[in-house]
Amino acid sequence: MKPNTDLNEALFERARRVIPGGVNSPVRAFRAVGGTPRFVRRAQGAYFWDANDQRFIDYIGSWGPMILGHGHPAVLEAVQKAAVDGFSFGAPTEREIELAEAILALVPSMDMVRLVSSGTEAGMSAIRLARGATGRNKIVKFEGCYHGHADALLVKAGSGLATFGNPTSAGVPAEVVQHTLVLEYNNIAQLEQAFALHGADIAGLMIEPIAGNMNFVRASLPFMQRCRELCTQHGALLVFDEVMTGCRVALGSAQSVYARDLPGFAPDLTVLGKVIGGGMPLAAFGGRRAVMEQLAPLGPVYQAGTLSGNPVATACGLATLREIGRPGFFEALSRKTRSLVDGLAAAAAAEGVAFSGDCEGGMFGFFLLPELPQNYAQVMKTEGARFNTLFHGLLARGVYIAPALYEAGFVSAAHSEEDIAATVAAAREVFQTLRG
Ligand SMILES: *Cc1c(COP(=O)(O)O)cnc(C)c1O
């Protein structure tokens, strides 16, 4: 056998012997795009370096958390200090209060918040709370939205509105998803029909307000307004899954973006993760006081966690929120993200490649389609082979975007104008091969 000189390939071989698929979260495996995953050795600012010491401009940023870029000095210092004082206590700390206060200050629809360790855990707990607080069982979700891998949320649309969903994973009994109704995103008629049929049994409607798990698709204003009205009218809780968008599309999260156009708009419950942990395992869910007081130890809805409110993670989250709260931070980040999307659009136009893109704050998405899609089925009209050519073309030029066409992208404060320009130049070269 000839020696393997690609260290990523060697690591991948070794990983596959001991970890299913060689990865600890499926999309990292490059199954959608083919090829060998890059094993990250270290990261700094807007870059990471793989096992071969090749540098990449990083547009994943741990799938959103690294909004300041990697290794931000203030965050690093906070984490190092916290680690010296202890990793985990299983008893309360002042820093948990500080982080809770910081989160509530940013997201005023939340009166109270509970800290947990992952977005999955937060979403699962929010559903249990919505059910416990309303005494109802049914949950509405939308095709293409991801809310973590809790059993009841791993579900796709069934054959009709009256039939509820089918599990998308083996190991999830049909009985477990029988209360989950899956609707088409941005489809007002279907939403109205679902509430007309099941309104009195619906505990909550869970939605990614700007969906980042089908690339980047905004809920339209009329659709969002209708979600709010129908939940209020039928006594269901509107649950915003802002694990990705929270403190990423705006300091006040996506709900503040909708409140610009819909005065007074607010969800009943909000799920946060990713940015609020700054790269550490930390997530949260919160909302109106009367609902949150249903949680144990005050109320009958059980929820707990050994590592919840972890002292090192809360230090990382707090330091991150402090930095993104500085005046002008989001304006600068938004400008940069916009310049990337505009640059890519101009490069595609110059090469005659169909392209549409959108962004909000530090989150973006683009499609090799002439118009922005409005739902999952439209997103999936992108030709996979063309996306894969783009992905591998960029990768070969040192630009790392998500290895699947249904994922959003992220710009950090550490990305420079030169990084953006280099990315656009690389994309233009690849677009030449996609012409026609
Ligand atoms: C990432 C994500 C989750 C799951 O969070 P984990 O920390 O990976 O469990 C849930 N909802 C949305 C919208 C996400 O983007």
Side-chain angles (χ1 to χ4, degrees), residues 345 348 352-358 366-374 378-379 381-383 386 436:
V353 171
F355 182 95
S356 56
D358 196 2
F366 61 80
F367 303 88
L368 299 174
L369 296 169
E371 274 173 47
L372 287 173
Q374 296 300 307
Q378 290 175 6
V379 169
K381 283 190 179 139
T382 304
E383 231 179 282
R386 285 170 69 75

Side-chain angles (χ1 to χ4, degrees), residues 118-120 146-148 208 213 241 243-244 274:
S118 76
T120 292
Y146 176 68
H147 304 297
E208 284 185 78
N213 288 285
D241 183 350
V243 172
M244 188 180 281
K274 298 192 169 114

Side-chain angles (χ1 to χ4, degrees), residues 25 28 62-63 65 117-123 145-150 153 206-213 240-245 271-274 280-283 363 407 410:
S25 197
R28 297 178 195 170
S62 182
W63 301 93
S117 302
S118 76
T120 292
E121 203 186 342
C145 287
Y146 176 68
H147 304 297
H149 60 90
L153 297 168
M206 195 171 209
I207 185 167
E208 284 185 78
I210 298 173
N213 288 285
F240 261 32
D241 183 350
E242 298 227 45
V243 172
M244 188 180 281
T245 53
V271 185
L272 295 168
K274 298 192 169 114
M280 288 277 177
L282 195 152
M363 177 171 159
E407 304 287 355
F410 304 96

Side-chain angles (χ1 to χ4, degrees), residues 4-354:
N4 199 337
T5 51
D6 180 345
L7 296 176
N8 293 301
E9 185 53 52
L11 287 174
F12 195 37
E13 266 180 46
R14 197 173 132 207
R16 276 180 295 188
R17 272 181 239 129
V18 289
I19 300 171
V23 293
N24 284 309
S25 197
V27 75
R28 297 178 195 170
F30 279 26
R31 296 286 283 243
V33 291
T36 306
R38 300 307 187 262
F39 280 71
V40 181
R41 189 170 268 175
R42 67 197 163 90
Q44 182 58 49
Y47 314 117
F48 71 73
W49 286 262
D50 74 358
N52 297 331
D53 226 23
Q54 191 191 344
R55 193 193 84 170
F56 295 90
I57 305 176
D58 177 15
Y59 288 104
I60 293 192
S62 182
W63 301 93
M66 310 313 296
I67 193 166
L68 300 171
H70 298 281
H72 187 283
V75 179
L76 206 52
E77 194 193 331
V79 167
Q80 284 169 338
K81 265 198 186 140
V84 170
D85 288 338
F87 288 2
S88 186
F89 312 120
T93 62
E94 184 175 1
R95 206 173 294 129
E96 293 163 77
I97 315 170
E98 289 180 308
L99 182 60
E101 288 169 348
I103 291 170
L104 300 188
L106 295 181
V107 187
S109 69
M110 298 161 82
D111 300 327
M112 299 183 102
V113 62
R114 168 119 336 144
L115 303 179
V116 296
S117 302
S118 76
T120 292
E121 203 186 342
M124 176 188 81
S125 304
I127 292 297
R128 185 182 305 141
L129 177 59
R131 286 172 162 162
T134 58
R136 300 172 177 185
N137 286 336
K138 299 199 188 310
I139 296 294
V140 172
K141 84 173 280 286
F142 298 93
E143 187 120 59
C145 287
Y146 176 68
H147 304 297
H149 60 90
D151 282 356
L153 297 168
L154 287 178
V155 48
K156 60 174 186 284
S159 53
L161 270 184
T163 58
F164 290 82
N166 300 316
T168 52
S169 168
V172 178
E175 289 78 7
V176 173
V177 299
Q178 69 180 341
H179 298 299
T180 312
L181 184 53
V182 185
L183 306 179
E184 189 175 75
Y185 202 72
N186 278 325
N187 185 333
I188 292 178
Q190 219 185 63
L191 182 73
E192 289 176 339
Q193 200 187 346
F195 271 91
L197 280 171
H198 303 290
D201 302 321
I202 295 173
L205 177 155
M206 195 171 209
I207 185 167
E208 284 185 78
I210 298 173
N213 288 285
M214 49 173 155
N215 199 322
F216 186 107
V217 181
R218 289 171 194 268
S220 74
L221 283 178
F223 179 71
M224 189 55 86
Q225 193 168 14
R226 207 68 190 113
C227 286
R228 178 65 277 179
E229 286 166 359
L230 287 166
C231 283
T232 304
Q233 191 181 325
H234 292 270
L237 298 179
L238 178 60
V239 185
F240 261 32
D241 183 350
E242 298 227 45
V243 172
M244 188 180 281
T245 53
C247 306
R248 165 53 79 175
V249 298
L251 192 55
S253 306
Q255 51 199 271
S256 72
V257 175
Y258 283 90
R260 276 179 220 152
D261 295 300
L262 306 171
F265 178 90
D268 300 305
L269 286 177
T270 299
V271 185
L272 295 168
K274 298 192 169 114
V275 169
I276 64 159
M280 288 277 177
L282 195 152
F285 64 101
R288 291 191 281 109
R289 187 173 302 275
V291 177
M292 291 302 286
E293 285 181 344
Q294 298 297 310
L295 279 178
L298 295 179
V301 180
Y302 191 70
Q303 189 278 330
T306 301
L307 298 178
S308 293
N310 176 271
V312 183
T314 48
C316 186
L318 258 179
T320 300
L321 294 188
R322 204 168 289 136
E323 294 303 317
I324 69 173
R326 293 188 191 282
F329 178 89
F330 261 92
E331 289 77 358
L333 181 65
S334 303
R335 264 198 305 278
K336 217 179 292 184
T337 311
R338 172 52 66 189
S339 79
L340 173 67
V341 173
D342 288 350
L344 293 174
E351 301 301 335
V353 171

